[in-house]
Amino acid sequence: MTITPPALSVFETLESEVRSYCRGWPAVFDRAQGARLTDEDGHSYLDFFAGAGSLNYGHNNPVLKRALIDYIERDGITHGLDMATTAKRAFLETFQNVILRPRDLPYKVMFPGPTGTNAVESALKLARKVKGRESVVSFTNAFHGMSLGSLAVTGNAFKRAGAGIPLVHGTPMPFDNYFDGQVPDFLWFERLLEDQGSGLNKPAAVIVETVQGEGGINVARAEWLRALQSLCHRQDMLLIVDDIQMGCGRTGAFFSFEEAGITPDIVTLSKSISGYGMPMALCLFKPELDIWEPGEHNGTFRGNNPAFVTAAAALDAYWADGQMEKQTVARGEQVEQGLLAICDENPASGGHFRGRGLVWGLEFPDPARASAVCARAFELGLLLETSGPRSEVVKLLPPLTITPDELDEGLRTLARCVRETA
Ligand SMILES: Cc1ncc(COP(=O)(O)O)c(C=O)c1O
């Protein structure tokens, strides 16, 4: 029988059974700074989770905190619907100058409701409106959010079942390497598109993550992404890249698709765009796709102005030069070396790893081993979560601002957890 510590009892008695992270991490967190959280009893935890990718610049980043405090103290607008505000103007100008223009990206910027799934819903809606078709192709093990439209293009059977109604107008296709390289890329997809007898409704768009975060850290090769873009062009389908988890520098470059040299028609961003863990989301699209009627996609909390303030401060502080990208690549190499050593030391575990930038996954053939590793990590003060269709992958997602020493500390703890769960 599990005994709930008194400090956690109100969560158990009052909060819904739907809660999840607090089950794996049974502590009451109180403060956080950089890559560390502290619980109310003073225990410290090293963060290899970063708010599921929402805290790329760490907890309570001092540069962003200063900008936020100054803004609040001068009574800057907090809630703004989509009214024009000075904070929103400063964000748009900074986003254009620091991110879009240097990358020669012509996108228009839309503010949907402030969560990832809102951005995905707006992207799907727009693609269907532009093409006048209802079907959208997604990929095996994709995750795009929990609202109905996003669930319809999400792979995970458990999450899909929660919808309670049929999830329609989405068709899954094999993600890169789904057949372990045994089948030529897009063989099935292209055949279905070209065969008038296939029964596939012509899709309006394809939605893809360049690295599937929730799906198990599956990394699409750059050539696969380029071939997907070319297939979309040939078949008159829009290419939507969902960069909600992998954007904002997680894989190195600001956008995760930059390495492949592609320009998606539509891009969704959320999670770390505000930089401070505050709700904010963007849907970016090529100007010729901007056929929305005013107010056709609305939402009360689109104008979260304090998030615009921290977002602009984060872009100025971390993206005005090329340092962030170089640092992430270097930190990623450190993680890769650490994971290599762990797998070499524990061949019997059958573990193998993959990743890009600062997102890595350590997969075990036995999902129980992955959850045992994460449970032991929590006891040792390291926050790690699992991902993948069977929760068989230990996911490493530290803040991008983590120091090499902290990274080393976390990797040593992870090595100990793998050793001790043998
Ligand atoms: C790729 C991707 N898309 C969409 C979402 C949904 O974002 P949110 O939970 O903010 O709705 C997530 C969340 O993990 C995600 O990783």
Side-chain angles (χ1 to χ4, degrees):
M1 195 178 82
T2 352
I3 298 178
T4 310
L8 282 163
S9 65
V10 69
F11 304 100
E12 191 131 308
T13 54
L14 193 59
E15 194 181 346
S16 160
E17 292 302 316
V18 79
R19 67 197 189 280
S20 62
Y21 291 108
C22 59
R23 296 173 190 271
W25 298 332
V28 181
F29 296 98
D30 184 38
R31 283 173 297 115
Q33 171 50 234
R36 285 192 201 272
L37 293 87
T38 310
D39 72 17
E40 63 179 352
D41 298 322
H43 300 125
S44 167
Y45 302 84
L46 185 61
D47 191 359
F48 266 31
F49 174 65
S54 303
L55 291 162
N56 282 3
Y57 314 110
H59 295 262
N60 293 312
N61 180 296
V63 179
L64 313 190
K65 181 162 63 177
R66 186 71 266 152
L68 181 60
I69 289 171
D70 289 349
Y71 184 73
I72 291 172
E73 278 190 341
R74 72 169 185 80
D75 286 337
I77 297 284
T78 292
H79 179 269
L81 291 158
D82 65 3
M83 294 182 304
T85 63
T86 50
K88 190 176 187 178
R89 180 173 57 204
F91 167 73
L92 283 168
E93 288 172 353
T94 308
F95 192 64
Q96 183 162 39
N97 294 335
V98 175
I99 302 297
L100 296 180
R101 198 172 288 139
R103 291 165 179 78
D104 214 9
L105 292 169
Y107 296 135
K108 294 284 291 282
V109 179
M110 168 181 181
F111 296 88
T115 66
T117 202
N118 272 282
V120 170
E121 294 288 349
S122 65
L124 297 174
K125 236 190 224 186
L126 182 62
R128 288 178 168 131
K129 185 174 159 74
V130 167
K131 290 295 175 194
R133 301 178 210 133
E134 55 206 29
S135 160
V136 171
V137 160
S138 57
F139 290 96
T140 48
N141 289 309
F143 181 76
H144 297 291
M146 298 299 277
S147 53
L148 293 180
S150 305
L151 272 182
V153 288
T154 285
N156 188 290
F158 171 68
K159 296 198 163 82
R160 287 176 67 87
I165 56 166
L167 294 170
V168 291
H169 310 311
T171 306
M173 290 288 162
F175 189 70
D176 190 16
N177 211 24
Y178 193 62
F179 296 108
D180 297 325
Q182 289 168 33
V183 176
D185 296 341
F186 306 112
L187 177 70
W188 171 244
F189 189 3
E190 201 151 13
R191 180 78 62 86
L192 291 188
L193 285 167
E194 281 168 4
D195 180 358
Q196 293 304 306
S198 72
L200 179 73
N201 291 335
K202 183 150 176 102
V206 166
I207 183 164
V208 69
E209 298 152 273
T210 64
V211 179
Q212 296 181 322
E214 301 309 296
I217 319 300
N218 306 314
V219 184
R221 288 164 302 143
E223 58 265 38
W224 187 85
L225 291 168
R226 282 193 289 271
L228 178 61
Q229 174 173 265
S230 138
L231 181 63
C232 287
H233 287 170
R234 276 183 280 122
Q235 296 286 345
D236 185 34
M237 304 177 296
L238 295 175
L239 176 62
I240 306 171
V241 168
D242 180 349
D243 234 6
I244 285 167
Q245 188 162 156
M246 296 305 148
C248 302
R250 178 51 61 184
T251 62
F254 184 82
F255 292 108
S256 70
F257 54 81
E258 287 178 53
E259 188 186 279
I262 60 170
T263 306
D265 299 294
I266 305 181
V267 179
T268 54
L269 277 184
S270 186
K271 293 207 189 258
S272 272
I273 185 64
S274 85
Y276 205 70
M278 287 196 291
M280 177 172 169
L282 300 178
C283 183
L284 313 173
F285 36 80
K286 292 182 173 167
E288 62 272 23
L289 304 182
D290 194 6
I291 60 162
W292 290 114
E293 298 291 333
E296 198 178 359
H297 187 85
N298 249 333
T300 307
F301 288 107
R302 285 168 301 147
N304 184 6
N305 279 254
F308 301 156
V309 170
T310 52
L315 298 180
D316 269 337
Y318 293 104
W319 294 99
D321 59 26
Q323 283 316 307
M324 193 73 206
E325 178 170 352
K326 288 200 192 95
Q327 179 179 304
T328 300
V329 171
R331 301 271 195 280
E333 282 162 9
Q334 190 183 341
V335 175
E336 188 173 9
Q337 290 310 312
L339 291 174
L340 188 63
I342 290 172
C343 290
D344 281 354
E345 191 199 328
N346 302 276
S349 74
H352 59 271
F353 63 92
R354 51 189 178 253
R356 251 183 82 196
L358 264 179
V359 50
W360 291 83
L362 175 58
E363 179 178 345
F364 294 97
D366 178 8
R369 181 74 176 272
S371 48
V373 166
C374 292
R376 182 70 184 128
F378 174 75
E379 289 168 0
L380 296 174
L382 174 68
L383 299 185
L384 276 173
E385 72 151 349
T386 58
S387 81
R390 299 180 303 134
S391 301
E392 72 280 28
V393 180
V394 174
K395 179 179 176 185
L396 287 74
L397 202 75
L400 306 182
T401 48
I402 195 166
T403 65
D405 284 350
E406 288 168 328
L407 211 44
D408 194 47
E409 177 191 329
L411 287 164
R412 274 188 281 109
T413 305
L414 174 60
R416 181 173 162 193
C417 295
V418 175
R419 217 176 295 130
E420 290 183 2
T421 51

